[in-house]
Amino acid sequence: MAGLAGSCGVPCEVVVDVPGRCAASVEATAYFVVAEALSNVAKHSGAASAVVAVCRDGDRLLLRIGDDGRGGADERGGSGLSGIRRRVEAHDGRFTLDSPPGGPTTMRVELPCGS
Ligand SMILES: Nc1ncnc2c1ncn2[C@@H]1O[C@H](COP(=O)(O)OP(=O)(O)OP(=O)(O)O)[C@@H](O)[C@H]1O
Ligand SMILES: [Mg+2]
C-alpha cells in the first residue's frame, strides 16, 4: 500500500492497522481497490491530498480511500469503479462511493476476510 501511495503523485497518508492476515484472494482484491482508487485520484481528482486507511473489524477488512479534490466520480464513467464494485461483490463485500460535485470523494470497501 505504501508503494502505491508513494507513486500516486498526490501526497497520500497511509494508515494500516490490520492484525493477522486475510485470505490471499482478499488481500489481492484490497490491493487492487487501492491501486484503482489512487489511479483515479491521480488522474481525475485535482486533489491536494489523499488518505488510505485500512483496518480490521472482526472478520472484515475495511478500506477507505479519500481525497479532497473536485468530486463527481461516477461509476458509469469508465471501467475502473465498476470493476472495483464487481470484484468486491464477488467476495460478498460492500462498495460505497460518496463524491458530490465539488468534492470531497470517499470510497469505502468492506471485505469478509476469509472468502
Ligand atoms: N477521485 C476522483 N475524483 C474525481 N472524479 C473521479 C474520481 N474517480 C473517478 N472520477 C470520475 O469518475 C469517472 C469514472 O472513473 P473510472 O475509474 O470508472 O474510469 P476512468 O478512470 O475514467 O477509466 P479507467 O479506470 O477505466 O481507466 C472518471 O472518468 C472521472 O470522471
Ligand atoms: Mg479509473
XYZ file of all heavy atoms in Angstrom:
837
model
N 0.835 -1.202 0.000
C 0.000 0.000 0.000
C 0.875 1.260 0.000
O 0.585 2.209 -0.711
C -0.916 0.058 1.242
C -1.831 -1.136 1.395
S -3.145 -1.212 0.170
C -3.902 -2.760 0.581
N 1.923 1.228 0.808
C 2.786 2.411 0.868
C 3.422 2.677 -0.490
O 3.577 3.827 -0.901
C 3.860 2.221 1.938
N 3.771 1.617 -1.210
C 4.359 1.768 -2.538
C 3.391 2.409 -3.501
O 3.757 3.303 -4.276
N 2.132 1.983 -3.451
C 1.115 2.588 -4.318
C 0.964 4.059 -4.000
O 0.867 4.902 -4.895
C -0.246 1.909 -4.105
C -0.388 0.471 -4.577
C -1.743 -0.082 -4.144
C -0.245 0.403 -6.084
N 0.917 4.366 -2.711
C 0.703 5.755 -2.294
C 1.875 6.623 -2.717
O 1.697 7.760 -3.160
C 0.502 5.830 -0.782
N 3.081 6.063 -2.627
C 4.272 6.837 -2.957
C 4.326 7.227 -4.416
O 4.906 8.261 -4.767
N 3.722 6.425 -5.284
C 3.785 6.739 -6.708
C 2.494 7.379 -7.211
O 2.286 7.497 -8.411
C 4.100 5.481 -7.516
O 3.164 4.483 -7.222
N 1.644 7.806 -6.300
C 0.331 8.337 -6.688
C 0.411 9.732 -7.307
O -0.406 10.108 -8.130
C -0.578 8.335 -5.462
S -2.073 9.285 -5.609
N 1.414 10.506 -6.905
C 1.540 11.859 -7.452
C 0.820 12.902 -6.626
O 1.106 14.091 -6.750
N -0.112 12.469 -5.765
C -0.777 13.372 -4.818
C -0.307 12.937 -3.429
O -0.299 11.742 -3.148
C -2.319 13.237 -4.931
C -3.025 13.998 -3.828
C -2.804 13.689 -6.299
N 0.101 13.880 -2.583
C 0.544 13.482 -1.238
C -0.527 12.635 -0.548
O -1.685 13.033 -0.493
C 0.738 14.816 -0.517
C 0.960 15.808 -1.609
C 0.170 15.324 -2.793
N -0.133 11.490 -0.072
C -1.104 10.497 0.387
C -0.679 9.925 1.729
O 0.418 9.388 1.857
C -1.179 9.394 -0.667
S -2.397 8.155 -0.287
N -1.550 10.067 2.702
C -1.300 9.478 4.019
C -1.826 8.040 4.019
O -2.933 7.789 3.529
C -2.037 10.302 5.077
C -1.831 9.815 6.492
C -2.819 10.464 7.466
O -3.641 11.296 7.023
O -2.768 10.105 8.649
N -1.052 7.126 4.545
C -1.461 5.720 4.586
C -1.495 5.264 6.034
O -0.490 5.396 6.742
C -0.484 4.826 3.801
C -0.956 3.375 3.818
C -0.336 5.311 2.369
N -2.641 4.782 6.471
C -2.778 4.263 7.829
C -3.276 2.834 7.719
O -4.396 2.597 7.262
C -3.799 5.094 8.643
C -3.852 4.598 10.077
C -3.462 6.574 8.587
N -2.446 1.886 8.087
C -2.836 0.474 8.010
C -2.731 -0.118 9.406
O -1.669 -0.056 10.033
C -1.940 -0.314 7.032
C -2.371 -1.782 6.994
C -2.004 0.278 5.628
N -3.834 -0.655 9.902
C -3.846 -1.287 11.218
C -4.602 -2.606 11.097
O -5.798 -2.673 11.344
C -4.521 -0.351 12.226
C -4.556 -0.978 13.611
O -3.844 -1.977 13.836
O -5.311 -0.470 14.466
N -3.899 -3.615 10.638
C -4.536 -4.893 10.338
C -3.783 -6.018 11.032
O -2.754 -6.479 10.536
C -4.568 -5.158 8.814
C -5.314 -6.454 8.527
C -5.220 -4.002 8.077
N -4.281 -6.453 12.204
C -3.656 -7.605 12.857
C -3.963 -8.873 12.062
O -5.082 -9.045 11.576
C -4.329 -7.647 14.234
C -5.609 -6.888 14.081
C -5.445 -5.928 12.943
N -2.972 -9.732 11.906
C -3.196 -11.000 11.213
C -3.316 -10.808 9.719
O -3.125 -9.712 9.198
N -3.600 -11.893 9.032
C -3.714 -11.880 7.576
C -5.134 -12.245 7.189
O -5.848 -12.889 7.947
C -2.755 -12.918 6.951
C -1.292 -12.748 7.296
C -0.719 -11.448 6.803
N -0.794 -11.256 5.365
C 0.251 -11.245 4.547
N 1.442 -11.457 5.007
N 0.078 -11.019 3.257
N -5.498 -11.811 5.999
C -6.753 -12.271 5.407
C -6.405 -13.277 4.317
O -5.233 -13.437 3.969
C -7.505 -11.104 4.795
S -8.007 -9.862 6.010
N -7.431 -13.921 3.766
C -7.207 -14.828 2.643
C -6.442 -14.080 1.547
O -6.655 -12.879 1.330
C -8.541 -15.334 2.109
N -5.541 -14.793 0.875
C -4.708 -14.150 -0.148
C -5.573 -13.480 -1.214
O -5.243 -12.393 -1.707
C -3.785 -15.190 -0.782
N -6.694 -14.104 -1.558
C -7.565 -13.519 -2.591
C -8.157 -12.196 -2.118
O -8.344 -11.266 -2.911
C -8.682 -14.494 -2.948
O -9.461 -14.759 -1.805
N -8.429 -12.104 -0.810
C -8.993 -10.870 -0.254
C -7.922 -9.774 -0.229
O -8.175 -8.617 -0.576
C -9.556 -11.133 1.162
C -9.966 -9.841 1.841
C -10.723 -12.099 1.071
N -6.715 -10.165 0.167
C -5.620 -9.185 0.176
C -5.340 -8.688 -1.250
O -5.078 -7.498 -1.469
C -4.363 -9.794 0.802
C -4.551 -10.074 2.287
C -3.278 -10.546 2.976
O -2.253 -10.761 2.292
O -3.311 -10.681 4.219
N -5.428 -9.588 -2.216
C -5.200 -9.173 -3.609
C -6.273 -8.200 -4.064
O -5.989 -7.206 -4.754
C -5.174 -10.404 -4.523
N -7.510 -8.449 -3.662
C -8.594 -7.526 -4.032
C -8.412 -6.182 -3.338
O -8.625 -5.126 -3.948
C -9.961 -8.162 -3.701
O -10.155 -9.252 -4.605
C -11.091 -7.173 -3.867
N -8.011 -6.210 -2.074
C -7.781 -4.953 -1.352
C -6.711 -4.124 -2.060
O -6.849 -2.907 -2.249
C -7.372 -5.243 0.098
N -5.664 -4.791 -2.490
C -4.575 -4.102 -3.199
C -5.084 -3.514 -4.515
O -4.793 -2.359 -4.862
C -3.430 -5.094 -3.450
C -2.152 -4.450 -3.924
C -1.230 -3.955 -3.008
C -1.873 -4.337 -5.284
C -0.051 -3.362 -3.444
C -0.698 -3.738 -5.724
C 0.200 -3.256 -4.800
O 1.356 -2.666 -5.231
N -5.874 -4.292 -5.226
C -6.462 -3.840 -6.492
C -7.339 -2.600 -6.266
O -7.274 -1.624 -7.033
C -7.284 -4.993 -7.089
C -8.167 -4.603 -8.238
C -7.649 -4.472 -9.522
C -9.526 -4.364 -8.038
C -8.478 -4.114 -10.590
C -10.354 -4.007 -9.098
C -9.822 -3.874 -10.373
N -8.156 -2.622 -5.221
C -9.044 -1.486 -4.923
C -8.225 -0.219 -4.687
O -8.520 0.850 -5.242
C -9.920 -1.792 -3.680
C -10.604 -0.532 -3.154
C -10.946 -2.870 -3.998
N -7.170 -0.340 -3.878
C -6.369 0.843 -3.559
C -5.650 1.345 -4.821
O -5.584 2.553 -5.078
C -5.377 0.538 -2.414
C -4.420 1.699 -2.195
C -6.144 0.240 -1.126
N -5.158 0.413 -5.633
C -4.468 0.816 -6.868
C -5.407 1.579 -7.797
O -5.058 2.645 -8.334
C -3.894 -0.417 -7.577
N -6.613 1.048 -8.011
C -7.572 1.713 -8.908
C -7.997 3.063 -8.335
O -8.123 4.050 -9.069
C -8.813 0.826 -9.113
C -8.594 -0.358 -10.007
C -8.359 0.041 -11.469
O -8.971 1.017 -11.945
O -7.532 -0.622 -12.119
N -8.249 3.077 -7.032
C -8.717 4.312 -6.406
C -7.638 5.394 -6.489
O -7.931 6.559 -6.818
C -9.112 4.059 -4.950
N -6.382 5.021 -6.225
C -5.323 6.038 -6.267
C -5.016 6.451 -7.695
O -4.633 7.601 -7.940
C -4.059 5.536 -5.552
C -4.176 5.454 -4.030
C -2.850 4.970 -3.441
C -4.574 6.788 -3.396
N -5.219 5.552 -8.645
C -5.010 5.989 -10.019
C -6.087 7.010 -10.398
O -5.806 7.986 -11.101
C -4.901 4.780 -10.951
O -5.976 4.706 -11.819
N -7.290 6.835 -9.894
C -8.324 7.855 -10.119
C -7.990 9.172 -9.428
O -8.222 10.254 -9.988
C -9.682 7.351 -9.620
C -10.334 6.401 -10.602
O -9.898 6.251 -11.737
N -11.385 5.741 -10.142
N -7.472 9.085 -8.213
C -7.080 10.318 -7.507
C -6.071 11.080 -8.362
O -6.201 12.288 -8.590
C -6.486 9.997 -6.118
C -5.870 11.244 -5.485
C -7.556 9.406 -5.194
N -5.076 10.351 -8.875
C -4.031 10.999 -9.663
C -4.581 11.577 -10.972
O -4.214 12.669 -11.387
C -2.916 9.991 -9.959
N -5.477 10.825 -11.618
C -5.952 11.224 -12.956
C -7.037 12.275 -12.930
O -7.120 13.128 -13.812
C -6.554 9.988 -13.670
C -5.627 9.265 -14.596
C -6.387 8.429 -15.637
C -7.048 7.212 -15.030
N -7.662 6.306 -16.013
N -7.956 12.176 -11.966
C -9.209 12.923 -12.071
C -9.471 13.928 -10.967
O -10.292 14.829 -11.146
C -10.409 11.973 -12.063
C -10.358 10.872 -13.065
N -10.324 11.100 -14.427
C -10.336 9.517 -12.927
C -10.294 9.935 -15.065
N -10.288 8.972 -14.181
N -8.859 13.763 -9.784
C -9.400 14.485 -8.620
C -8.937 15.935 -8.521
O -9.645 16.767 -7.972
C -9.015 13.759 -7.322
O -7.639 13.932 -7.045
N -7.727 16.228 -8.989
C -7.159 17.550 -8.724
C -6.923 17.795 -7.244
O -6.810 18.940 -6.803
N -6.832 16.727 -6.465
C -6.742 16.859 -5.006
C -5.364 17.358 -4.575
O -4.354 17.133 -5.244
C -7.021 15.509 -4.340
N -5.342 18.023 -3.423
C -4.079 18.406 -2.797
C -3.572 17.299 -1.899
O -2.370 17.190 -1.657
C -4.264 19.681 -1.982
N -4.480 16.464 -1.392
C -4.038 15.363 -0.547
C -5.057 14.231 -0.557
O -6.227 14.428 -0.898
C -3.786 15.835 0.889
O -5.007 16.184 1.481
N -4.552 13.078 -0.186
C -5.392 11.876 -0.167
C -5.045 11.059 1.058
O -3.990 11.245 1.678
C -5.155 11.052 -1.435
N -5.945 10.149 1.407
C -5.695 9.263 2.536
C -6.166 7.860 2.194
O -7.194 7.683 1.526
C -6.373 9.793 3.827
C -7.877 9.896 3.644
C -6.046 8.916 5.020
N -5.386 6.881 2.611
C -5.768 5.473 2.508
C -5.755 4.919 3.921
O -4.727 4.991 4.602
C -4.766 4.672 1.648
C -5.111 3.183 1.662
C -4.737 5.191 0.222
N -6.886 4.391 4.353
C -6.948 3.800 5.689
C -7.440 2.370 5.557
O -8.421 2.099 4.866
C -7.886 4.598 6.585
N -6.733 1.457 6.189
C -7.094 0.038 6.155
C -7.102 -0.466 7.584
O -6.112 -0.295 8.309
C -6.083 -0.798 5.333
C -6.604 -2.219 5.136
C -5.795 -0.153 3.989
N -8.228 -1.047 8.004
C -8.252 -1.625 9.334
C -9.103 -2.883 9.311
O -9.709 -3.222 8.296
C -8.756 -0.627 10.372
S -10.465 -0.182 10.161
N -9.115 -3.550 10.446
C -9.861 -4.792 10.539
C -10.913 -4.649 11.621
O -10.638 -4.122 12.695
C -8.888 -5.920 10.884
C -9.518 -7.256 10.711
C -8.464 -8.342 10.723
N -9.191 -9.597 10.837
C -8.725 -10.764 10.455
N -7.509 -10.849 9.968
N -9.451 -11.839 10.578
N -12.135 -5.105 11.310
C -13.209 -5.101 12.299
C -13.745 -6.526 12.352
O -14.502 -6.933 11.477
C -14.288 -4.099 11.870
C -15.468 -4.093 12.822
O -15.308 -4.563 13.975
O -16.552 -3.632 12.409
N -13.319 -7.275 13.354
C -13.718 -8.684 13.435
C -13.203 -9.425 12.218
O -12.011 -9.385 11.922
N -14.100 -10.047 11.484
C -13.626 -10.800 10.316
C -13.768 -9.976 9.036
O -13.778 -10.528 7.942
C -14.360 -12.142 10.198
C -15.715 -11.969 9.562
O -16.277 -10.864 9.688
O -16.205 -12.920 8.927
N -13.864 -8.648 9.174
C -13.991 -7.819 7.965
C -12.794 -6.891 7.822
O -12.312 -6.318 8.802
C -15.287 -6.994 8.013
C -16.508 -7.887 7.995
C -17.790 -7.122 8.125
N -18.307 -6.642 6.853
C -18.865 -7.405 5.923
N -18.957 -8.695 6.094
N -19.320 -6.881 4.815
N -12.371 -6.741 6.587
C -11.313 -5.792 6.255
C -12.000 -4.531 5.721
O -12.833 -4.603 4.815
C -10.412 -6.408 5.184
C -9.112 -5.693 4.854
C -8.188 -5.666 6.072
C -8.413 -6.393 3.685
N -11.689 -3.388 6.319
C -12.324 -2.127 5.938
C -11.301 -1.226 5.262
O -10.206 -1.005 5.797
C -12.872 -1.397 7.175
C -13.747 -2.211 8.132
C -14.252 -1.306 9.269
C -14.927 -2.835 7.408
N -11.663 -0.713 4.103
C -10.779 0.184 3.357
C -11.484 1.512 3.169
O -12.678 1.553 2.848
C -10.474 -0.354 1.957
C -9.972 -1.766 1.768
C -9.793 -2.049 0.278
C -8.657 -1.949 2.461
N -10.742 2.577 3.325
C -11.283 3.907 2.998
C -10.215 4.651 2.207
O -9.058 4.726 2.632
C -11.637 4.665 4.278
C -12.103 6.089 4.025
C -12.677 6.717 5.299
N -11.737 6.654 6.419
C -10.804 7.576 6.663
N -10.688 8.647 5.903
N -9.979 7.422 7.691
N -10.613 5.167 1.061
C -9.699 5.971 0.245
C -10.406 7.303 -0.001
O -11.505 7.337 -0.566
C -9.356 5.298 -1.104
C -8.743 3.902 -0.881
C -8.356 6.162 -1.879
C -9.682 2.759 -1.007
N -9.791 8.366 0.454
C -10.430 9.672 0.329
C -9.500 10.688 -0.309
O -8.275 10.558 -0.240
N -10.091 11.669 -0.971
C -9.292 12.792 -1.480
C -10.090 14.080 -1.339
O -11.316 14.054 -1.248
C -8.840 12.550 -2.932
C -9.985 12.617 -3.938
O -10.545 13.710 -4.150
O -10.325 11.567 -4.521
N -9.360 15.188 -1.333
C -10.015 16.486 -1.138
C -10.166 17.241 -2.472
O -10.140 18.458 -2.507
C -9.236 17.330 -0.116
C -7.831 17.672 -0.595
O -7.441 17.212 -1.698
O -7.118 18.396 0.122
N -10.355 16.474 -3.532
C -10.430 17.074 -4.864
C -11.837 17.448 -5.287
O -12.718 17.671 -4.461
N -12.055 17.426 -6.612
C -13.248 18.072 -7.168
C -14.519 17.228 -7.103
O -15.613 17.741 -7.381
C -13.005 18.490 -8.618
C -12.764 17.334 -9.589
C -12.655 17.832 -11.032
N -11.515 18.719 -11.224
C -10.282 18.315 -11.572
N -10.049 17.036 -11.786
N -9.315 19.189 -11.714
N -14.402 15.960 -6.761
C -15.609 15.124 -6.663
C -16.197 14.812 -8.020
O -15.562 14.996 -9.056
N -17.417 14.314 -8.006
C -18.106 13.982 -9.250
C -17.722 12.640 -9.823
O -17.977 12.378 -11.002
N -17.118 11.771 -9.013
C -16.799 10.429 -9.504
C -18.085 9.678 -9.808
O -19.050 9.759 -9.052
C -15.976 9.661 -8.464
N -18.073 8.960 -10.926
C -19.300 8.314 -11.406
C -18.939 6.946 -11.970
O -18.166 6.846 -12.931
C -19.931 9.192 -12.499
C -21.274 8.642 -12.955
O -21.570 7.457 -12.679
O -22.006 9.405 -13.612
N -19.517 5.925 -11.368
C -19.265 4.539 -11.804
C -19.538 4.305 -13.264
O -18.994 3.384 -13.859
C -20.226 3.618 -11.051
C -19.643 2.928 -9.883
C -20.675 2.002 -9.273
O -20.882 0.917 -9.814
O -21.274 2.400 -8.265
N -20.449 5.075 -13.844
C -20.809 4.851 -15.251
C -19.776 5.456 -16.195
O -19.872 5.300 -17.403
C -22.191 5.442 -15.533
C -23.296 4.682 -14.789
C -24.546 5.503 -14.675
N -24.280 6.774 -13.977
C -25.208 7.680 -13.674
N -26.449 7.474 -14.004
N -24.868 8.794 -13.040
N -18.785 6.178 -15.635
C -17.857 6.924 -16.473
C -16.674 6.143 -17.004
O -15.906 6.665 -17.812
N -16.489 4.911 -16.559
C -15.318 4.153 -17.006
C -15.413 2.731 -16.515
O -16.477 2.291 -16.081
N -14.301 2.015 -16.569
C -14.348 0.621 -16.135
C -13.676 0.407 -14.781
O -13.751 -0.671 -14.213
C -13.688 -0.273 -17.190
O -12.350 0.123 -17.354
N -13.001 1.451 -14.266
C -12.277 1.295 -13.006
C -13.203 1.094 -11.821
O -13.093 0.100 -11.087
N -14.131 2.024 -11.632
C -15.019 1.956 -10.468
C -15.967 0.757 -10.570
O -16.203 0.067 -9.585
C -15.813 3.265 -10.331
C -14.969 4.494 -9.964
C -15.794 5.772 -10.076
C -14.400 4.355 -8.556
N -16.484 0.508 -11.765
C -17.393 -0.641 -11.902
C -16.617 -1.941 -11.693
O -17.157 -2.917 -11.162
C -18.121 -0.614 -13.238
O -17.200 -0.590 -14.284
N -15.343 -1.952 -12.080
C -14.508 -3.131 -11.831
C -14.270 -3.351 -10.347
O -14.251 -4.491 -9.875
N -14.089 -2.262 -9.603
C -13.950 -2.381 -8.145
C -15.221 -2.996 -7.565
O -15.174 -3.950 -6.793
C -13.685 -1.004 -7.496
C -12.294 -0.495 -7.870
C -13.836 -1.103 -5.976
C -12.001 0.919 -7.372
N -16.373 -2.445 -7.967
C -17.636 -2.971 -7.423
C -17.778 -4.471 -7.731
O -18.091 -5.263 -6.856
C -18.840 -2.211 -7.984
C -20.159 -2.814 -7.496
C -21.372 -2.184 -8.100
N -21.598 -0.819 -7.666
C -22.068 -0.466 -6.464
N -22.336 -1.388 -5.559
N -22.249 0.811 -6.170
N -17.505 -4.835 -8.981
C -17.655 -6.236 -9.365
C -16.770 -7.137 -8.517
O -17.201 -8.163 -8.008
C -17.288 -6.390 -10.842
C -18.323 -7.139 -11.631
C -17.963 -7.484 -13.058
N -16.663 -7.084 -13.527
C -16.410 -5.961 -14.204
N -17.397 -5.125 -14.479
N -15.195 -5.662 -14.606
N -15.539 -6.707 -8.369
C -14.599 -7.573 -7.663
C -14.938 -7.671 -6.168
O -14.825 -8.732 -5.564
C -13.192 -7.014 -7.870
C -12.172 -8.063 -7.735
C -10.902 -7.779 -8.457
N -9.853 -8.505 -7.739
C -8.600 -8.531 -8.075
N -8.202 -7.851 -9.139
N -7.734 -9.198 -7.372
N -15.364 -6.549 -5.588
C -15.733 -6.545 -4.166
C -16.989 -7.390 -3.944
O -17.065 -8.179 -3.002
C -15.944 -5.090 -3.683
C -16.629 -5.058 -2.327
C -14.612 -4.350 -3.631
N -17.955 -7.254 -4.834
C -19.202 -8.003 -4.661
C -18.990 -9.500 -4.890
O -19.704 -10.324 -4.319
C -20.312 -7.404 -5.533
C -20.709 -6.032 -4.976
C -21.824 -5.319 -5.730
O -22.181 -5.770 -6.834
O -22.318 -4.300 -5.198
N -17.980 -9.846 -5.679
C -17.653 -11.267 -5.868
C -17.182 -11.908 -4.558
O -17.275 -13.119 -4.385
C -16.588 -11.434 -6.944
N -16.689 -11.080 -3.626
C -16.292 -11.587 -2.289
C -17.424 -11.413 -1.276
O -17.176 -11.520 -0.080
C -15.096 -10.796 -1.753
C -13.794 -11.061 -2.440
N -12.988 -12.133 -2.143
C -13.140 -10.368 -3.405
C -11.887 -12.088 -2.886
N -11.964 -11.025 -3.668
N -18.626 -11.066 -1.743
C -19.710 -10.713 -0.814
C -19.356 -9.509 0.037
O -19.786 -9.391 1.182
C -20.097 -11.900 0.098
C -20.839 -12.968 -0.674
O -21.601 -12.604 -1.582
O -20.626 -14.151 -0.369
N -18.563 -8.618 -0.526
C -18.204 -7.386 0.171
C -19.134 -6.248 -0.221
O -20.098 -6.436 -0.963
N -18.826 -5.070 0.316
C -19.648 -3.892 0.013
C -18.773 -2.761 -0.483
O -17.659 -2.542 0.000
C -20.383 -3.429 1.268
C -21.545 -4.333 1.603
C -22.192 -3.961 2.913
N -22.448 -2.516 3.010
C -22.972 -1.947 4.077
N -23.272 -2.658 5.133
N -23.166 -0.639 4.088
N -19.300 -2.027 -1.453
C -18.583 -0.906 -2.055
C -19.495 0.316 -1.994
O -20.642 0.245 -2.420
C -18.272 -1.257 -3.512
C -17.855 -0.085 -4.369
C -16.567 0.427 -4.289
C -18.747 0.498 -5.252
C -16.183 1.504 -5.080
C -18.365 1.568 -6.056
C -17.081 2.069 -5.963
N -19.024 1.406 -1.434
C -19.804 2.645 -1.492
C -18.889 3.792 -1.897
O -17.706 3.834 -1.557
C -20.483 3.002 -0.152
O -19.482 3.112 0.852
C -21.516 1.981 0.267
N -19.483 4.704 -2.651
C -18.729 5.834 -3.174
C -19.527 7.096 -2.882
O -20.711 7.184 -3.203
C -18.572 5.653 -4.683
C -17.832 6.743 -5.440
C -16.370 6.807 -4.987
C -17.913 6.469 -6.941
N -18.862 8.055 -2.260
C -19.503 9.326 -1.951
C -18.635 10.418 -2.579
O -17.494 10.606 -2.174
C -19.578 9.481 -0.425
C -20.325 10.737 -0.030
O -21.188 11.190 -0.817
O -20.033 11.279 1.047
N -19.165 11.071 -3.612
C -18.338 12.007 -4.386
C -19.210 13.104 -4.981
O -19.420 13.167 -6.192
C -17.600 11.229 -5.484
O -16.729 12.068 -6.216
N -19.730 13.976 -4.121
C -20.579 15.050 -4.645
C -19.774 16.004 -5.518
O -18.550 16.112 -5.340
C -21.073 15.758 -3.367
C -20.041 15.442 -2.327
C -19.501 14.080 -2.672
N -20.427 16.695 -6.457
C -19.718 17.705 -7.248
C -19.088 18.731 -6.316
O -19.729 19.180 -5.375
C -20.837 18.352 -8.079
C -21.965 17.383 -8.072
C -21.865 16.606 -6.788
N -17.821 19.040 -6.541
C -17.114 19.945 -5.640
C -16.308 19.198 -4.590
O -15.474 19.792 -3.917
N -16.563 17.913 -4.451
C -15.809 17.068 -3.527
C -16.321 17.187 -2.105
O -17.308 17.875 -1.871
N -15.653 16.518 -1.185
C -14.551 15.574 -1.425
C -15.078 14.219 -1.894
O -16.289 14.040 -2.001
C -13.908 15.459 -0.039
C -15.065 15.633 0.912
C -16.004 16.610 0.250
N -14.151 13.306 -2.169
C -14.502 11.946 -2.604
C -14.046 10.948 -1.553
O -12.894 10.991 -1.118
C -13.816 11.629 -3.952
O -14.367 12.485 -4.958
C -14.033 10.161 -4.363
N -14.955 10.080 -1.160
C -14.603 8.994 -0.239
C -15.147 7.683 -0.769
O -16.334 7.592 -1.084
C -15.194 9.229 1.170
O -14.769 10.508 1.639
C -14.718 8.157 2.141
N -14.265 6.708 -0.891
C -14.661 5.353 -1.277
C -14.489 4.457 -0.063
O -13.473 4.536 0.625
C -13.752 4.863 -2.404
C -14.062 3.456 -2.855
S -12.816 2.811 -3.967
C -12.909 3.977 -5.298
N -15.498 3.652 0.198
C -15.398 2.689 1.300
C -15.659 1.279 0.777
O -16.593 1.078 0.000
C -16.420 2.998 2.396
C -16.071 4.217 3.216
C -16.964 4.331 4.446
N -16.430 5.294 5.386
C -16.556 6.613 5.265
N -17.210 7.121 4.243
N -16.021 7.427 6.161
N -14.840 0.351 1.228
C -14.983 -1.044 0.832
C -14.883 -1.913 2.084
O -14.018 -1.682 2.934
C -13.899 -1.427 -0.200
C -13.795 -2.937 -0.360
C -14.192 -0.770 -1.551
N -15.796 -2.865 2.196
C -15.747 -3.873 3.265
C -15.605 -5.231 2.619
O -16.377 -5.568 1.713
C -17.072 -3.915 4.018
C -17.336 -2.769 4.937
C -18.650 -3.008 5.693
O -18.954 -4.183 6.021
O -19.336 -2.016 5.927
N -14.641 -6.006 3.096
C -14.424 -7.355 2.549
C -14.401 -8.380 3.674
O -13.658 -8.197 4.636
C -13.071 -7.395 1.817
C -12.956 -6.610 0.514
C -11.481 -6.473 0.125
C -13.748 -7.274 -0.586
N -15.197 -9.425 3.565
C -15.050 -10.512 4.524
C -13.650 -11.097 4.384
O -13.202 -11.361 3.261
C -16.111 -11.534 4.095
C -17.018 -10.821 3.147
C -16.222 -9.709 2.546
N -12.952 -11.232 5.497
C -11.526 -11.591 5.441
C -11.250 -12.983 4.920
O -10.190 -13.232 4.360
C -10.946 -11.490 6.850
S -9.778 -10.187 6.960
N -12.197 -13.881 5.123
C -11.886 -15.287 4.845
C -12.221 -15.781 3.469
O -11.819 -16.869 3.094
N -12.955 -15.026 2.699
C -13.504 -15.602 1.461
C -12.583 -15.402 0.273
O -11.715 -14.556 0.296
C -14.847 -14.981 1.145
O -14.718 -13.595 0.951
N -11.257 10.562 -7.159
C -11.986 11.109 -8.160
N -12.217 12.449 -8.194
C -12.948 12.990 -9.185
N -13.513 12.297 -10.211
C -13.312 10.973 -10.224
C -12.543 10.303 -9.218
N -12.553 8.980 -9.510
C -13.261 8.835 -10.634
N -13.719 10.023 -11.085
C -14.597 10.241 -12.268
O -15.375 9.076 -12.451
C -15.137 8.538 -13.752
C -15.148 7.033 -13.680
O -13.977 6.519 -13.053
P -13.412 5.106 -13.517
O -12.250 4.746 -12.672
O -14.570 4.147 -13.531
O -12.962 5.352 -15.025
P -11.635 6.047 -15.610
O -10.662 6.303 -14.505
O -12.079 7.220 -16.434
O -11.101 4.955 -16.588
P -10.415 3.558 -16.189
O -10.385 3.427 -14.684
O -11.332 2.538 -16.809
O -9.070 3.628 -16.778
C -13.813 9.151 -14.209
O -13.756 9.256 -15.605
C -13.818 10.505 -13.560
O -14.572 11.414 -14.325
Mg -10.162 4.779 -13.121
